[in-house]
Amino acid sequence: MVQKNQSSATEFLLLGLSESPEQQPLLFGIFLALYLVTMLGNLLIILAIGSDPHLHTPMYFFLANLSLADASFSSTTVPKMLVNIQTHSQTISYGGCLAQMHLFMTFGALDDFLLGVMAYDRYVAICRPLHYSTLMSPLVCMLLRAACWVLTNLAALLHTLLMARLSFCADNTIHHFFWDMVPLLQLSCSDTSINQVALFAVGSMILTGPLSLIMLSYARIISSILRVPSASGRHKAFSTCGSHLTVVFWFYGTAIGVYLCPPSSHSRGEDRLVAVFYTVVTPMLNPFIYSLRNKDMKVALSRLLAIHTLSSQGL
């Protein structure tokens, strides 16, 4: 049994989404299904883009990276929750907590940055088509991806180091299904003012920075599209952006609600419900949004599945 009232807790209890034993098998089945769909959908997106030469463009390069980030993002929380349900154990070590938080923040912020880069790519493609090959060259794409990885890891490292300095000596029970910063700061018996300032400051930059880039890019895009004389031309231009905008609204709506609103403005149940949407549902829906609304992705996925079918039949 985990000891309380000690100088620093070495283990924590993750209570999950429900404390009712009767609901655990149902939750296990639902989240196992959601996780498998998430992994399969994002893997298909990556394989379809990698196997189709027509999709070897900057837009699909970043889409493949977004699918990788989504799969990794979901994998930082859901497998641990499934293991806890299956083994009837709610404990997670302090080291495991820090590792989970670091990876969670890295891949969550990476999603954010990639959405911003994808908006910039659409801006260049629509508003500056003659300079597209230069502004979005393979080297530039690689540098943009590297910058996303470096910045997100630095932000996650900062929060991890700040969290590691705190003591948790009063209570080690986390009313959540993963080790998130907001409920953890509420448990600490140390002064968390620096952590709260860093959470708001860095969180604001991570969320509002790419969001500002997205809004600016789409303001220019919409302005350019409205000047297109033909209705078919406007529809084609808008269709290339519709999937991305759908993901942007879904992602930012939930993330801002959790990390930029005061903790007192929402209950534990609301926190956990919103967290399910941006940690599980959003990574699962992204492949469907991009594939169902994108003709090129539909063709590539059809080819990939056809090749797999022929291979399984030995043809």
Side-chain angles (χ1 to χ4, degrees):
M1 182 175 179
V2 181
Q3 298 296 321
K4 297 184 180 181
N5 299 321
Q6 54 190 8
S7 60
S8 183
T10 58
E11 286 186 327
F12 293 85
L13 297 176
L14 291 172
L15 295 186
L17 292 172
S18 173
E19 300 175 39
S20 172
E22 294 79 10
Q23 295 180 358
Q24 300 309 308
L26 177 61
L27 289 173
F28 181 85
I30 291 174
F31 280 89
L32 177 61
L34 292 176
Y35 181 67
L36 292 176
V37 171
T38 299
M39 299 305 292
L40 178 61
N42 284 289
L43 178 61
L44 285 175
I45 292 290
I46 295 172
L47 292 176
I49 293 174
S51 62
D52 192 335
H54 297 95
L55 301 185
H56 293 176
T57 63
M59 180 177 75
Y60 293 107
F61 170 77
F62 291 116
L63 177 56
N65 280 271
L66 181 67
S67 291
L68 176 62
D70 279 337
S72 302
F73 186 47
S74 187
S75 295
T76 62
T77 57
V78 179
K80 175 60 178 174
M81 180 179 68
L82 294 176
V83 169
N84 284 359
I85 294 175
Q86 188 67 17
T87 60
H88 306 287
S89 172
Q90 298 175 319
T91 61
I92 181 172
S93 68
Y94 183 60
C97 290
L98 293 177
Q100 186 183 67
M101 189 187 77
H102 181 86
L103 293 173
F104 176 81
M105 298 195 68
T106 296
F107 292 117
L110 186 59
D111 258 12
D112 186 23
F113 276 69
L114 287 172
L115 289 173
V117 172
M118 292 170 73
Y120 173 73
D121 169 73
R122 291 299 82 208
Y123 157 73
V124 176
I126 294 173
C127 301
R128 306 188 65 183
L130 297 180
H131 301 89
Y132 185 76
S133 60
T134 302
L135 294 175
M136 297 301 294
S137 65
L139 177 60
V140 171
C141 291
M142 295 296 291
L143 290 175
L144 286 172
R145 182 179 67 174
C148 291
W149 277 95
V150 170
L151 291 174
T152 54
N153 271 281
L154 288 176
L157 180 61
L158 171 64
H159 287 301
T160 303
L161 293 176
L162 288 176
M163 187 64 71
R165 57 181 277 276
L166 300 179
S167 296
F168 301 90
C169 47
D171 189 5
N172 60 357
T173 302
I174 304 172
H175 297 268
H176 218 303
F177 63 94
F178 66 96
W179 215 67
D180 197 14
M181 283 191 64
V182 175
L184 255 296
L185 292 178
Q186 296 171 351
L187 289 183
S188 177
C189 54
S190 303
D191 180 11
T192 62
S193 57
I194 296 177
N195 298 72
Q196 292 173 349
V197 170
L199 176 62
F200 184 81
V202 177
S204 296
M205 288 187 289
I206 289 177
L207 288 172
T208 62
L211 182 58
S212 299
L213 176 61
I214 292 170
M215 294 175 64
L216 180 61
S217 297
Y218 275 104
R220 299 292 298 272
I221 288 172
I222 293 172
S223 177
S224 297
I225 291 177
L226 293 177
R227 292 197 296 267
V228 175
S230 66
S232 61
R234 290 194 297 270
H235 176 75
K236 182 178 179 180
F238 272 122
S239 65
T240 63
C241 305
S243 301
H244 182 250
L245 279 174
T246 303
V247 173
V248 166
F249 287 133
W250 185 272
F251 178 84
Y252 279 96
T254 54
I256 290 176
V258 171
Y259 291 106
L260 293 188
C261 291
S264 59
S265 65
H266 34 71
S267 66
R268 289 171 177 171
E270 291 173 343
D271 275 348
R272 285 183 279 189
L273 180 61
V274 174
V276 168
F277 276 95
Y278 74 83
T279 60
V280 182
V281 178
T282 298
M284 181 193 70
L285 289 181
N286 283 354
F288 293 98
I289 294 172
Y290 280 105
S291 59
L292 293 177
R293 295 178 60 92
N294 189 301
K295 182 179 179 181
D296 293 334
M297 279 303 309
K298 289 181 183 178
V299 173
L301 287 170
S302 298
R303 290 174 180 169
L304 179 65
L305 294 175
I307 293 173
H308 174 73
T309 302
L310 291 175
S311 299
S312 63
Q313 294 175 352
L315 299 178

